[in-house]
Amino acid sequence: MLRLLDTATGVAVPPAERAGARVGLYVCGATVYGPPHIGHGRFALVYDVLRRYLARSGYDVRHVSNITDVDDKVIDRAAAEGRDWREVAEEAEEQWWAAMDAMGVLRPHEVPHATDYVEEMVSLVAELVRLGVAYETSDGVYLACDAVEGYGTLAHQSLDSLRSGARAVVGEEKRSPLDFAVWKKAKPGEPTWPSPFGPGRPGWHTECVVMSLSLLGEGFELHGGGLDLVFPHHENERAQAVALGRPFARHWVHNGLVVVGGEKMSKSLGNYTELKTLLDAYDPRAYRLLVLRSYYRSPLEVGPSTLGDAAAALQRVDELARRLEAVRPRQDTVPRGWDAPGGQSRPAAVFPAAQSLRGRFVEAMDDDLGTPRALAEVLGAVREANRLLDAGEATGALALGDVALELLGVLGIEPAGVEAPPATIVELAGRRESARRAGDYDAADRLRDELAAQGWKVDDLPDGPRLHR
RNA sequence: GGCGGCGUGGCCGAGUGGUUGAGGCAAGGGCCUGCAAAGCCCUGUACCCGGGUUCGAUUCCCGGCGCCGCCUCCA
């Protein structure tokens, strides 16, 4: 059974679930004011794998991830570029999904936009004021943190220590430096919505409360996001729900940040690489592999060296997939699958190593999403399957190799498709092979160079040449 | 100042109170091979420093050093 570390308690426990094994997963998504960077890529991959594995484990997952399409940053960028803020948000959201698609990240089941929930947010703010936990000032409405029981739970700090460490300047009207805006009164030129407190827009921490509760219900199971959101964002989300007396997330999951040269990558530090840049330069699967190779909560160093490593490792996986296809019996049309029906005669069923591989994989994953060990098991099996192939044991190789590939699929990594070379390439390769057989190696090597110039490599395998990209 | 985390071979990165340190990449040697590529096999003797607990610590405890994150927008 999958156990996940809960940020609030520091203990790894199985996710809570509702009737029908339903699990709601809310992940704080993108603020769309610019192209996503590598850090966003990691975060998306982590929750994509969590969602896939939850489903694989038998949960009925509902994955919700928001788009923050109105926010200071969106407004600032629009102002700086003299554009409409909606246009900025839409453009950035397109870039977001393009990158997600390139990485093979499954779309969340729901993608709520903040701007579609403003009315509900206004109601929430009004309710907070009515309850006396939020107060109005000249520039907005603030939540009084002292009024919230257990404020600091996620930060693991007391109200006092948080207060003493606060760097925020106490405004004239703000009662405590920790108090945060749930409603921002409009300044000239900003987008506004009507409210009992005058025109304005919701504070950032409010939207996730409204959208998660509205789409997943009270006491939903999992709430995730980057480690840098723990405080204050998630703390403040929780504070609002607590203040309202509404059961909120029951379990908090946070992913570690991407670091560059030991320092956190972030837009504000300016040391970021756009995700698209990485995805254009490397096989997108290499980034997924790199991310999964480390524990999801740890900082992760991303750079040309580590990406190159991952890309190289992937080639061995692709090679295995190609080799397996070459030895796969024609009539064997049983698809790869976790629980292929009627699989009595399937090789995997009679090949113990393949079965135990599944067990070790699940064991690793169940231990707080242990993708590093899970991956190690799978890659070890890839090597073993290749070895069996070398030894001519095709049946065993298929049994083990198919399971390895299937498990990689659980992690969202599919072997590269076998691309059929065009006729001109096949013809060139044929001429080269003839030259080789005739012992004319100079000609053969020239032809190989020609093939290379057209982007094709040729490997002389024991059973004949093979073309691939 | 408060809170949290990290320090493992050439690099990345798991993990563990004790005979044989996952996995990946790189490197060297080998099998195969016209060559190359691919694949496979072999090779590495690590755990920041100082104490303590223990029969035994890289793993637990204390202290130190170094690095990082959060306490402000941030995945």
Side-chain angles (χ1 to χ4, degrees):
Chain A
M1 179 179 264
L2 171 64
R3 303 194 319 157
L4 282 173
L5 194 65
D6 177 7
T7 305
T9 62
V11 177
V13 292
E17 58 184 290
R18 283 171 276 192
R22 279 171 53 222
V23 166
L25 169 65
Y26 186 90
V27 183
C28 286
T31 297
V32 282
Y33 68 98
H37 60 63
I38 291 177
H40 297 109
R42 178 187 192 187
F43 132 87
L45 288 167
V46 165
Y47 293 103
D48 181 60
V49 169
L50 174 58
R51 173 244 177 109
R52 287 170 188 256
Y53 192 66
L54 281 167
R56 206 359 109 20
S57 302
Y59 292 106
D60 178 13
V61 196
R62 195 154 178 234
H63 178 198
V64 177
S65 192
N66 65 296
I67 293 283
T68 299
D69 53 357
V70 59
D71 166 273
D72 289 355
K73 301 212 171 194
V74 178
I75 293 166
D76 291 349
R77 168 120 186 262
E81 298 179 1
R83 301 161 71 191
D84 186 85
W85 62 276
R86 289 180 197 80
E87 192 185 310
V88 168
E90 275 168 30
E91 179 192 87
E93 187 174 347
E94 271 172 40
Q95 292 170 331
W96 176 266
W97 294 121
M100 293 302 119
D101 290 347
M103 291 192 300
V105 168
L106 300 172
R107 286 286 166 117
H109 300 100
E110 302 273 357
V111 181
H113 288 64
T115 49
D116 292 331
Y117 286 83
V118 176
E119 268 184 47
E120 287 92 326
M121 290 190 243
V122 169
S123 307
L124 184 148
V125 172
E127 179 67 4
L128 288 172
V129 171
R130 193 186 67 76
L131 291 168
V133 288
Y135 55 91
E136 189 173 350
T137 69
S138 59
D139 68 343
V141 177
Y142 290 81
L143 188 86
C145 294
D146 337 35
V148 177
E149 195 192 325
Y151 191 82
T153 297
L154 284 171
H156 293 289
Q157 292 208 60
S158 70
L159 204 52
D160 278 347
S161 69
L162 280 170
R163 209 171 349 216
S164 67
R167 278 179 269 167
V169 181
V170 190
E172 306 244 320
E173 302 175 74
K174 218 163 126 175
R175 294 178 194 166
S176 158
L178 296 174
D179 293 355
F180 59 93
V182 289
W183 186 259
K184 297 185 175 187
K185 293 185 178 175
K187 293 181 201 131
E190 290 185 351
T192 66
W193 284 261
S195 88
F197 328 100
R201 60 199 160 86
W204 176 43
H205 310 304
T206 301
E207 65 179 67
C208 292
V209 181
V210 165
M211 296 190 289
S212 60
L213 289 175
S214 155
L215 290 166
L216 292 172
E218 292 186 353
F220 63 93
E221 289 70 29
L222 294 167
H223 192 135
L227 226 28
D228 54 354
L229 295 186
V230 174
F231 193 95
H233 184 54
H234 286 160
E235 190 77 53
N236 289 349
E237 284 184 34
R238 184 187 163 278
Q240 290 171 78
V242 168
L244 291 167
R246 301 187 69 182
F248 200 52
R250 296 162 75 166
H251 191 136
W252 295 86
V253 186
H254 291 97
N255 62 278
L257 307 178
V258 167
V259 296
V260 177
E263 277 210 313
K264 162 188 173 180
M265 169 177 294
S266 80
K267 290 197 181 177
S268 38
L269 289 176
N271 63 344
Y272 64 91
T273 302
E274 283 186 20
L275 190 48
K276 187 177 189 308
T277 306
L278 182 160
L279 263 14
D280 286 346
Y282 296 90
D283 183 336
R285 298 175 305 155
Y287 191 38
R288 184 180 281 262
L289 186 67
L290 179 59
V291 164
L292 264 27
R293 225 173 53 173
S294 76
Y295 176 52
Y296 72 93
R297 279 181 183 266
S298 302
L300 176 66
E301 189 75 37
V302 178
S305 155
T306 55
L307 281 164
D309 283 3
L314 228 28
Q315 290 194 0
R316 230 177 69 234
V317 171
D318 291 341
E319 177 66 11
L320 175 66
R322 285 193 290 264
R323 296 180 75 190
L324 289 179
E325 286 322 301
V327 300
R328 190 182 303 285
R330 289 246 154 166
Q331 65 272 30
D332 184 357
T333 53
V334 180
R336 289 201 306 270
W338 188 268
D339 288 311
Q344 268 180 333
S345 62
R346 294 195 63 210
V350 298
F351 199 75
Q355 281 307 328
S356 70
L357 172 60
R358 277 207 183 89
R360 294 193 305 273
F361 178 88
V362 168
E363 194 181 338
M365 291 293 284
D366 279 354
D367 182 11
D368 199 21
L369 213 61
T371 54
R373 272 179 300 136
L375 220 34
E377 293 293 349
V378 170
L379 291 174
V382 166
R383 182 179 297 279
E384 174 65 8
N386 268 319
R387 193 191 63 74
L388 289 167
L389 245 13
D390 283 353
E393 298 175 36
T395 305
L398 280 165
L400 189 60
D402 278 352
V403 172
L405 261 23
E406 164 207 319
L407 296 175
L408 281 169
V410 173
L411 300 175
I413 297 173
E414 300 289 344
V418 188
E419 189 183 348
T424 55
I425 297 297
V426 174
E427 198 268 324
L428 271 180
R431 279 167 53 200
R432 171 174 174 276
E433 185 61 9
S434 303
R436 273 188 75 217
R437 298 228 169 148
D440 185 357
Y441 296 120
D442 287 344
D445 288 347
R446 266 198 308 279
L447 285 159
R448 179 160 60 197
D449 290 343
E450 266 188 58
L451 284 164
Q454 297 188 44
W456 289 84
K457 289 180 198 143
V458 56
D459 295 344
D460 295 320
L461 301 176
D463 52 342
R466 191 194 49 208
L467 287 161
H468 64 97
R469 283 279 183 188

